[in-house]
Amino acid sequence: MSATAARPEHAGAVSDIASLRERFPALRQHVHGKPLVYLDNAASSQCPQPVLDAMLRQQRSNHANVHRGVHALSERATETFEAARDKIRAYINASGTDEIVYTRGTTESINLVAASLGASLLGAGDEVLITHMEHHSNIIPWQLVCERVGARLVPAPITERGELDLDAFDRLLTERTKIVAVGHVSNALGTVNPVRRLIERAHAAGAVVLVDGAQAVPHMRVDVQALDCDFYAFSGHKMFAPTGIGVLYGKRELLDRMPPYQGGGEMILSVSFDKTLYNALPYKFEAGTPNITGAVALGAAVDFLSGIDFAAVAAHESRLLEYATEKVLELGARVIGTAEHKAGVLSFVLPGIHAHDVGTIVDSEGVAIRTGHHCAMPVMERFGVPATARASFALYNNRDDVDRLVVGLRRALEIFA
């Protein structure tokens, strides 16, 4: 499940998967009178204690605006805010902090590139190549810019197993393709795409590549230089940080060429009614007061993840996925997405029961799963289902969680029998 050959900085520092669970306070609560089982990690993961501590410390002792004050609190806030940026840089192996742009999340990161680079790079007749497994945030921003400039959005098909049709992808990659935007891991299917190969092919065709890494960064180490992607977008709240903070990594030479995405605040050097001079990277893309506490918390999440043995986590999540898949198949479920390489996402439908009913009944057993189209309606259409139930795993889940899910699914089958 590794994106690159990069070794964790502190591999083996946290080798006991069971002990990780104790570091997440939210998992100690009861829901509907039963111990919580949280299997909605593809939507948002829980925060470990070190991240919660960092948020509280920032708000309690260091709360002030950044880059603008000369007083002690502002200087401390700026220091922790920029220290977090450097942690993120190191975590994904970007070449400099000027390549790390804070955003609200993956969606805003993709919108930034689509609105800024897309509008300047694309013209009438050009194409943006995506895949049929993308979620809406990696479809709609490109549709918007294509509609504005007269370009065309081209989805590469996927197979019955939910894998990208690589031959079709290669055929669709032409001299008209200016941008390739592809998810590293599908949120609806769990498919892990061979992004390094896709990037190589896209670059050979002269296209710029954005990778949506929202579902990848919690499960594998990502090295943006080894991947050679032009942009890599991800969210904090899917990697054990709070909501409202995310990152756009971009190669410096591309970010330099791109016009600002939004105006105001931090993105300027000087303003007059005649002309505005824009700030240096990455601040050119960070208009307004940023989510300072979110950024600091994301830095703490990176510290937490940097101490994880990802090989052990990947093996653990793979075993969980295999066990859960076996169990739901025993219940007669149809699994949507059976790719050879999957992250910890299990999408399925139970015969004769709508996914929303499954989710409600399972919730009454204290088990949180996701139901619906997962903001990936084209995927649902591809497989001929309106919605699926989705159990998605994180490093703190275990076999007992799967067994509790099965109890809830059996109850749903009994009710609708």
Side-chain angles (χ1 to χ4, degrees):
M1 199 179 293
S2 174
T4 74
R7 179 178 170 79
E9 294 173 5
H10 308 294
V14 182
S15 58
D16 182 359
I17 296 295
S19 70
L20 286 170
R21 190 180 181 90
E22 300 303 316
R23 305 180 71 177
F24 291 82
L27 301 179
R28 300 171 195 155
Q29 65 183 297
H30 284 63
V31 173
H32 303 307
K34 298 175 181 176
L36 170 67
V37 170
Y38 190 79
L39 295 173
D40 193 19
N41 298 287
S44 197
S45 56
Q46 300 297 331
C47 293
Q49 190 63 53
V51 172
L52 299 172
D53 290 343
M55 295 169 65
L56 179 60
R57 187 165 54 248
Q58 182 65 26
Q59 286 297 108
R60 186 175 56 197
S61 304
N62 298 333
H63 176 66
N65 215 324
V66 293
H67 298 144
R68 299 167 192 173
V70 294
H71 55 83
L73 262 62
S74 179
E75 290 180 354
R76 289 209 301 263
T78 302
E79 182 179 345
T80 52
F81 180 75
E82 291 301 332
R85 195 192 305 271
D86 192 50
K87 292 175 183 178
I88 297 161
R89 177 208 61 75
Y91 188 66
I92 62 172
N93 194 31
S95 64
T97 54
D98 53 351
E99 296 181 322
I100 304 298
V101 179
Y102 285 129
T103 64
R104 289 182 297 160
T106 305
T107 298
E108 186 175 57
S109 295
I110 297 172
N111 272 276
L112 190 164
V113 178
S116 179
L117 180 70
S120 59
L121 184 65
L122 296 171
D126 290 334
E127 295 179 349
V128 177
L129 180 59
I130 61 172
T131 79
H132 203 107
M133 72 178 80
E134 302 306 320
H135 67 141
H136 299 165
S137 293
N138 202 27
I139 299 173
I140 300 169
W142 305 111
Q143 283 180 330
L144 290 170
V145 68
C146 285
E147 289 169 1
R148 285 201 299 272
V149 304
R152 192 166 77 97
L153 185 67
V154 179
I158 57 177
T159 69
E160 191 61 28
R161 297 187 66 176
E163 295 173 325
L164 179 62
D165 184 333
L166 296 174
D167 291 335
F169 177 88
D170 289 342
R171 287 195 301 272
L172 292 170
L173 192 60
T174 72
E175 69 279 0
R176 294 187 299 275
T177 307
K178 302 303 180 189
I179 297 174
V180 171
V182 58
H184 200 157
V185 175
S186 163
N187 73 316
L189 304 171
T191 306
V192 180
N193 278 316
V195 290
R196 184 72 185 93
R197 175 195 184 279
L198 302 181
I199 291 165
E200 288 177 351
R201 299 298 179 96
H203 282 171
V208 172
V209 183
L210 177 141
V211 178
D212 171 355
Q215 299 295 336
V217 285
H219 303 289
M220 60 186 72
R221 297 303 296 251
V222 171
D223 182 330
V224 292
Q225 293 192 75
L227 288 174
D228 195 29
C229 54
D230 299 296
F231 299 96
Y232 199 94
F234 56 99
S235 299
H237 71 101
K238 298 183 195 297
M239 53 184 291
F240 313 115
T243 56
I245 185 70
V247 170
L248 172 68
Y249 157 80
K251 287 181 178 174
R252 185 179 299 107
E253 59 270 26
L254 285 167
L255 292 174
D256 262 336
R257 284 166 33 197
M258 292 162 54
Y261 167 56
Q262 296 174 326
E266 191 65 26
M267 52 79 70
I268 61 93
L269 283 178
S270 68
V271 177
S272 73
F273 289 119
D274 296 324
K275 185 175 179 59
T276 294
L277 295 178
Y278 303 125
N279 207 339
L281 293 174
Y283 311 112
K284 183 174 74 172
F285 295 108
E286 295 181 355
T289 298
N291 182 356
I292 301 164
T293 298
V296 172
L298 179 54
V302 166
D303 286 339
F304 175 79
L305 286 168
S306 296
I308 299 297
D309 180 347
F310 265 81
V313 168
H316 170 70
E317 292 182 356
S318 180
R319 287 192 296 270
L320 272 185
L321 179 64
E322 183 179 352
Y323 180 62
T325 301
E326 176 186 327
K327 289 297 182 183
V328 300
L329 288 174
E330 287 175 0
L331 297 177
R334 175 191 173 195
V335 173
I336 308 297
T338 56
E340 181 179 357
H341 300 291
K342 287 184 65 174
V345 173
L346 176 59
S347 251
F348 60 94
V349 292
L350 286 181
I353 312 177
H354 194 282
H356 289 320
D357 293 324
V358 172
T360 301
I361 294 168
V362 166
D363 175 62
S364 71
E365 295 291 322
V367 180
I369 62 172
R370 195 67 157 194
T371 60
H373 52 64
H374 316 300
C375 296
M377 294 179 77
V379 175
M380 300 298 113
E381 184 180 6
R382 166 65 179 78
F383 289 96
V385 294
T388 72
R390 183 186 70 187
S392 52
F393 304 103
L395 48 82
Y396 42 64
N397 292 120
N398 57 30
R399 285 170 69 100
D400 289 342
D401 292 342
V402 176
D403 291 338
R404 289 275 310 281
L405 169 65
V406 171
V407 169
L409 296 178
R410 288 190 187 282
R411 183 157 182 261
L413 288 167
E414 291 168 2
I415 291 172
F416 283 87

